[in-house]
Amino acid sequence: MSSGVSPTGAMSRQNVFVRDLTASIVVFLVAMPLCMGIAVASGVPPEKGLITGIIGGIVVGALAGSPLQVSGPAAGLAVIVFELVRQYGVVALGPILLLAGAIQFFAGVARLGGWFRAISPAVVHGMLAGIGILILIGQFHVLFDDLPKPNGVENLLAIPVSLFRLFTEAESTASAFTAGIITIVSMLAWERFRPANLRLIPGALVGVVLATLIAYALQLNLTRVDVPESIFSSLTWPTWAGFTELLSPQFIATALAVAFIASAETLLSAAAVDRMHDGVRTDYNKELRAQGVGNFLCGAVGALPMTGVIVRSSANVQAGALTRASTIMHGVWILAFVLGLPWLLREIPMASLAGVLVVTGWRLVSLDHVKHLYQHYGVMPALIWASTLFMVVTTDLLTGVLTGLVLSLIELLPHLRNLKLDVQVDRHDAHVELQLQGRATFLSLPGLTKILDDLPGEGRIRLNLAGLAQLDHTCTEVLADWIQRRRKAGTHLELAGVDRQHASNLHRRLLEVATA
């Protein structure tokens, strides 16, 4: 966790630079295998992911509203990109991302960033779990030197066939499987048993390096990463024919889906990063504008879409980064590596990258989220999570997300006549009192979060919930996160208007956080 020391405070500029430099190297080591692996999972050449990582680091890092968040290719968009490339080819990426980036940018200009925070955690985690399953079952086949199937159901049905191939087909199948298993086992073993003084070296890097060295030493016959001598030769510019295709409703719907999912994942990641450090808070609209610029540039050169990514961002914070310089420098290191050492990338087995993604996919399916939802909020949020996951796996990403959003709206049906939330801020000499009256639902979150963020960071705050007629699980999660962050920052926070004996599950959740 970051120390929260301000660069302009007691720490010298030289020490700040050293901290950021060290963190940037750690993030670079985490990002390299993930950038290539996510590109492979998306059905495009690995260099497409590296280009996105470079733009995400250098350009978005300089413009971002969340200084410590790292942007790059994300597993959350791999599934939708894979389907897009399968149907229309790689050339469709450019026009789609130009439009998606423009949508994100103007959404930030219109100050719509706060609305993405109103998406139910059940929908978001259900979507990520579904994506995790799709990545896992798709990359499972790459472990056997095969290609993923067109959709989740076909990938599931083909698993026995891939297993059978291990015993009946060419040497390359066994060699690829060996490289993939070496990667997975060494990743997990390193993360479990690594020495404390080497804790910042990522398991994914250890797994890929070890599998590559063994494949090289034994001259294993398997498929390796194919990257060009010059990364600039892989840049592809949008064509006029691509722009005319954008006029079709299906292309516009796809661009909207990419913009929506990328924005939601970015802003939720930014909120998680804010909980990891005590420094500058995220400006959500500025972050949305920066992501729009980044995705527009990715579209201009035919690269992968990007989001803010939590794995690389948490590595950045844990490595001690203090300013956006760390994110920018990590992009510079990726650029220097692909310009100077492309021959080294070409020794990496594809099955090794698949091993990294199998582990990544498995971790996205975290059952802890649905257990948390069920234990604290009851059956309906858990049902939203499960329904979103099921539809993502069996149909497509957009259908799954829309299913979750519709189910979230169904929760509001009994209260449609009055969904108003009144928030009153009373400033006294000794404290500030915040009174909530009416119904606190995800529809009221943009206004509520703005008021919460504007409250003083020090002193005493009294949160009075006596006038609340309803509190949904999305609002509860936001309030719980806000309470935890304020208490950690030293604010004395008191929860009032809640009868401990007869409190609902949602109120109990806030009581637990406020008294922890």
Side-chain angles (χ1 to χ4, degrees), residues 2 32 38 61 132 155 178 183 288 306 325 337 343 418 421 457 501:
S2 170
M32 283 294 292
I38 290 166
N155 274 316
T178 300
T183 302
L288 200 52
M306 74 172 64
F337 193 90
W343 57 268
N418 183 13
L421 175 67
Q501 187 174 355

Side-chain angles (χ1 to χ4, degrees), residues 274 281 453 480-489:
D274 279 352
R281 303 290 96 187
D453 291 342
D481 288 342
W482 177 78
I483 290 170
Q484 287 176 321
R485 192 171 71 243
R486 285 305 181 97
R487 291 188 69 215
K488 183 181 171 186

Side-chain angles (χ1 to χ4, degrees), residues 472-493:
D472 75 2
H473 71 278
T474 307
C475 266
T476 305
E477 283 290 282
V478 169
L479 284 170
D481 288 342
W482 177 78
I483 290 170
Q484 287 176 321
R485 192 171 71 243
R486 285 305 181 97
R487 291 188 69 215
K488 183 181 171 186
T491 303
H492 179 78
L493 204 142

Side-chain angles (χ1 to χ4, degrees), residues 125-143:
H125 292 305
M127 177 191 77
L128 292 175
I131 289 167
I133 290 175
L134 289 174
I135 290 173
L136 194 158
I137 60 180
Q139 294 303 302
F140 179 85
H141 301 293
V142 183
L143 290 177

Side-chain angles (χ1 to χ4, degrees), residues 57-214:
I58 298 173
V59 179
V60 178
L63 302 175
S66 178
L68 299 187
Q69 175 160 259
V70 180
S71 297
L77 286 170
V79 174
I80 199 169
V81 173
F82 181 86
E83 184 63 23
L84 176 69
V85 171
R86 187 180 70 83
Q87 286 188 352
Y88 303 106
V90 178
V91 292
L93 271 179
I96 289 285
L97 289 188
L98 286 172
L99 182 55
I103 291 169
Q104 285 184 291
F105 180 82
F106 287 111
V109 171
R111 307 190 66 79
L112 298 180
W115 280 100
F116 287 95
R117 298 173 72 187
I119 300 171
S120 164
V123 175
V124 174
H125 292 305
M127 177 191 77
L128 292 175
I131 289 167
I133 290 175
L134 289 174
I135 290 173
L136 194 158
I137 60 180
Q139 294 303 302
F140 179 85
H141 301 293
V142 183
L143 290 177
F144 298 87
D145 217 25
D146 198 2
L147 296 174
K149 310 307 174 191
N151 58 59
V153 175
E154 288 186 45
N155 274 316
L156 276 172
L157 294 176
I159 285 176
V161 177
S162 287
L163 289 170
F164 186 68
R165 286 181 66 240
L166 185 61
F167 304 100
T168 60
E169 292 203 8
E171 174 193 343
S172 62
T173 303
S175 297
F177 183 71
T178 300
I181 292 300
I182 288 171
T183 302
I184 293 171
V185 171
S186 54
M187 264 185 79
L188 299 177
W190 177 259
E191 291 171 3
R192 178 88 183 254
F193 301 111
R194 62 186 160 195
N197 59 341
L198 298 177
R199 65 182 178 84
L200 293 178
I201 296 178
L205 180 72
V206 172
V208 170
V209 168
L210 186 59
T212 302
L213 289 173
I214 291 174

Side-chain angles (χ1 to χ4, degrees), residues 104-410:
Q104 285 184 291
F105 180 82
F106 287 111
V109 171
R111 307 190 66 79
L112 298 180
W115 280 100
F116 287 95
R117 298 173 72 187
I119 300 171
S120 164
V123 175
V124 174
H125 292 305
M127 177 191 77
L128 292 175
I131 289 167
I133 290 175
L134 289 174
I135 290 173
L136 194 158
I137 60 180
Q139 294 303 302
F140 179 85
H141 301 293
V142 183
L143 290 177
F144 298 87
D145 217 25
D146 198 2
L147 296 174
K149 310 307 174 191
N151 58 59
V153 175
E154 288 186 45
N155 274 316
L156 276 172
L157 294 176
I159 285 176
V161 177
S162 287
L163 289 170
F164 186 68
R165 286 181 66 240
L166 185 61
F167 304 100
T168 60
E169 292 203 8
E171 174 193 343
S172 62
T173 303
S175 297
F177 183 71
T178 300
I181 292 300
I182 288 171
T183 302
I184 293 171
V185 171
S186 54
M187 264 185 79
L188 299 177
W190 177 259
E191 291 171 3
R192 178 88 183 254
F193 301 111
R194 62 186 160 195
N197 59 341
L198 298 177
R199 65 182 178 84
L200 293 178
I201 296 178
L205 180 72
V206 172
V208 170
V209 168
L210 186 59
T212 302
L213 289 173
I214 291 174
Y216 179 79
L218 300 179
Q219 290 297 295
L220 294 180
N221 176 26
L222 41 69
T223 304
R224 289 175 166 82
V225 170
D226 182 20
V227 294
E229 285 291 340
S230 169
I231 196 169
F232 298 113
S233 66
S234 66
L235 303 181
T236 54
W237 316 106
T239 62
W240 179 250
F243 282 111
T244 57
E245 285 181 328
L246 274 179
L247 299 175
S248 72
Q250 191 167 4
F251 258 56
I252 293 172
T254 303
L256 284 168
V258 170
F260 175 82
I261 293 166
S263 301
E265 190 169 344
T266 292
L267 299 184
L268 288 162
S269 171
V273 172
D274 279 352
R275 294 196 293 272
M276 297 177 189
H277 67 92
D278 305 322
V280 178
R281 303 290 96 187
T282 295
D283 180 333
Y284 289 93
N285 293 305
K286 184 179 179 183
E287 181 68 27
L288 200 52
R289 294 193 298 272
Q291 293 290 327
V293 171
N295 274 318
F296 190 89
L297 291 176
C298 287
V301 297
L304 279 179
M306 74 172 64
T307 74
V309 278
I310 190 60
V311 173
R312 277 155 272 182
S313 301
S314 60
N316 194 34
V317 175
Q318 290 164 5
L322 292 172
T323 74
R324 67 180 69 247
S326 170
T327 300
I328 296 169
M329 283 190 285
H330 115 274
V332 173
W333 304 145
I334 297 176
L335 177 61
F337 193 90
V338 298
L339 288 178
L341 299 169
W343 57 268
L344 187 56
L345 297 179
R346 288 194 287 273
E347 292 296 332
I348 299 173
M350 290 287 283
S352 181
L353 295 181
V356 172
L357 288 164
V358 164
V359 175
T360 302
W362 174 254
R363 287 173 175 166
L364 283 175
V365 190
S366 172
L367 295 179
D368 289 339
H369 292 301
V370 70
K371 284 167 60 179
H372 171 83
L373 290 168
Y374 178 74
Q375 289 171 356
H376 289 100
Y377 308 123
V379 173
M380 190 61 185
L383 178 63
I384 293 171
W385 181 92
S387 301
T388 304
L389 181 155
F390 178 78
M391 294 303 289
V392 166
V393 172
T394 57
T395 58
D396 57 71
L397 196 60
L398 183 58
T399 302
V401 171
L402 290 176
T403 299
L405 293 175
V406 168
L407 289 174
S408 298
L409 289 170
I410 288 174

